[in-house]
Structure formats: C-alpha cells, structure tokens
Amino acid sequence: MDKKTTSRDGTSLAYHVTGHGPTVILVSGAMSTGGTVLPLAERLAERCTAVVYDRRGRGESDGTAPYAVDREVEDLAVLADAVGGDAALFGVSSGGALVLRAVAGGVPATRAAVYEVPYADHLADGAAREAAYKERLTEALAGGRHGDAVELFLRQTGLGEEMIQRARQSPMWAGLETLAPSLAHDDAVMADGLLPRDLLARIPVPVLALAGGASPEWMHRAGQAVAAAVPQGTYRVLPGQTHMVEPDVLGPVLAEFFAGRPREEQG
C-alpha cells in the first residue's frame, strides 16, 4: 500500500491504485488484506483502474475502536472520493457483504459485483451454525485466544482438522493470529449470517453475483438469492472455480461487467 486517506472518524486507511479505465474498488474478505486481492487488481488493470486497500484493523490501516459496520461503510465512501468519486465496488466472501451493505446504505457506486457471499440460508442448520460461531468467536477473542479464533474460522469454512493442525505449525500462522481480531468485524458485517432481503431490495445499481462451479450447492443458492433480491441483479457461475477463485478466471468477467466487452470482441 503506497497511499493513505483518512476516514470520517480519523482512521488512516492504506490503499494502492493500478491500471487505467473505470475505477473499481476491491474489498477483501475475512483473514485477508488488500494484498490478498492485489493479483486480481493486476489482472483488472488492463481495462480498469483497480483500487485495493487494507480494511480498518488490518494490514497498514488503523483500527479505531470501537468497531462498527457503519464505520467500514464510511471507509468505502471516503476511499471512493479519494480515487475520483466515480467508482464501482467488488467484494469477495464477507467483503461482498460489506459491498452490498455499502451500496444499499447510499455509498455512491456505479455498479457492484460480489463473489460467494456466504449467506447460510440454504445450509443445513445454517442459522444455528452461525449463532454458535458468533458465540465461540466472541469468547475466544475476549479471552485473547487468537489462535483459537483462527481455528474456529477455518473450521467454519469447512477446512479439515488435519489441515488446521498443519496450518498451526506453518510459518503463516503468526500472521493469521495478527488478523484474528478482524474476524469480529467480518462477523458483524455478516450480521446473523442470513440473506438481508430488505437491505438488498434497496440497492439502486446493477449487481453481479458470482459463484464457482465447483463450490457447494448452498453457495450457488446464496448467489442466486442475492441476484433475485436485488432489483437489477444478475447471477453467473464460473466453471471449475471454488471459493479460492483464480484471478485469471475472475478478472476478465469483472472487467466485462465494469468496463464492457473489449473492442475486438464487439460487433
């Protein structure tokens, strides 16, 4: 991140801009920073001005307490203004939930796209599962047990116990524990973990909801539900992709949505 701006509550936000064309702000999900979506930004840069940033409380951005989802929404409004005031938004996973809340809440955006926002409506015992995660996460963070919080999150995503224990022994674990407090932020953005239909019905711009063809069926149904709830919603599947979507596959689809078809493909 090589640039800084200041949000309305004084929080310093770090960001980076690359490329040329229509401006798109990329919003990362849980346990990630602006650097996580930088490869996607570089893929978009051929046709879009791609902006990545560290959400508050992670990376090089400050984490002013107390946290509130409204402050993250304000961050997006301030960042959009800092990069020219005429931006589209893209969010992955819980970052997509933040994007949807932002555009429904009045943050100026030309259009928005989201990838696999994990609304649990179509997951067996989804509501109970989300409530149990919230309770255990709150307890772990309150007790300073950041490693346990990371484990809870990884287990919630479906990662197996053997893989979790391997992760604990890996060099990346210390960095994950550093990001652990921000899990509470993503949990707050997701609210009860269920599709906020009334909120989505207020979105005034076109929204593209995406899912990977190799992702679980409940994730597909979540994407379909987002598109159905938004007045100008569209749903699209990326064949062969999972929740860890490849930038080389996602990038061209987003570029077409945000910048239109390449000239050589028109006509």
Side-chain angles (χ1 to χ4, degrees):
M1 303 301 115
D2 57 349
K3 299 180 184 296
K4 295 270 189 176
T5 191
T6 303
S7 198
R8 295 173 188 171
D9 68 345
T11 299
S12 178
L13 302 173
Y15 69 101
H16 173 74
V17 181
T18 185
H20 55 86
T23 301
V24 183
I25 299 173
L26 309 184
V27 184
S28 62
M31 298 301 294
S32 62
T33 65
T36 309
V37 290
L38 185 57
L40 176 60
E42 292 171 342
R43 187 65 178 82
L44 279 172
E46 299 169 10
R47 297 181 55 210
C48 298
T49 299
V51 181
V52 299
Y53 76 109
D54 289 335
R55 291 170 56 187
R56 62 171 54 211
R58 61 188 87 186
E60 298 174 38
S61 292
D62 293 342
T64 306
Y67 174 83
V69 176
D70 286 348
R71 302 293 81 75
E72 281 223 80
V73 170
E74 290 172 357
D75 294 348
L76 275 172
V78 168
L79 185 58
D81 187 63
V83 297
D86 188 20
L89 303 178
F90 168 73
V92 60
S93 195
S94 54
L98 178 58
V99 163
L100 295 173
R101 289 188 175 278
V103 292
V107 172
T110 55
R111 49 182 48 205
V114 296
Y115 186 83
E116 293 197 350
V117 183
Y119 294 125
D121 304 63
H122 303 289
L123 185 64
D125 301 320
R129 179 176 179 269
E130 293 298 313
Y133 170 73
K134 183 184 294 287
E135 180 180 356
R136 293 167 185 163
L137 177 66
T138 301
E139 290 175 355
L141 293 177
R145 295 182 286 110
H146 290 180
D148 291 348
V150 175
E151 275 201 24
L152 278 169
F153 170 74
L154 295 177
R155 200 170 289 116
Q156 187 80 350
T157 66
L159 195 65
E161 292 300 320
E162 182 178 347
M163 292 297 294
I164 290 174
Q165 295 312 313
R166 285 183 183 177
R168 263 198 177 272
Q169 303 305 314
S170 73
M172 70 176 184
W173 190 258
L176 295 178
E177 288 198 3
T178 299
L179 286 170
S182 68
L183 286 171
H185 303 177
D186 289 279
D187 185 61
V189 168
M190 291 296 299
D192 60 2
L194 303 179
L195 188 80
R197 286 180 175 80
D198 291 345
L199 180 144
L200 299 187
R202 302 198 303 267
I203 292 179
V205 299
V207 172
L208 175 63
L210 296 157
S215 291
E217 177 62 22
W218 71 270
M219 196 70 82
H220 286 235
R221 296 180 69 184
Q224 292 166 350
V226 168
V230 173
Q232 301 177 67
T234 305
Y235 174 67
R236 182 168 175 178
V237 174
L238 303 185
Q241 296 301 297
T242 66
H243 200 61
M244 303 298 291
V245 63
E246 298 174 21
D248 284 346
V249 175
L250 177 58
V253 174
L254 292 179
E256 179 180 330
F257 178 66
F258 291 126
R261 292 171 57 192
R263 182 169 299 175
E264 59 270 19
E265 295 180 7
Q266 296 178 9

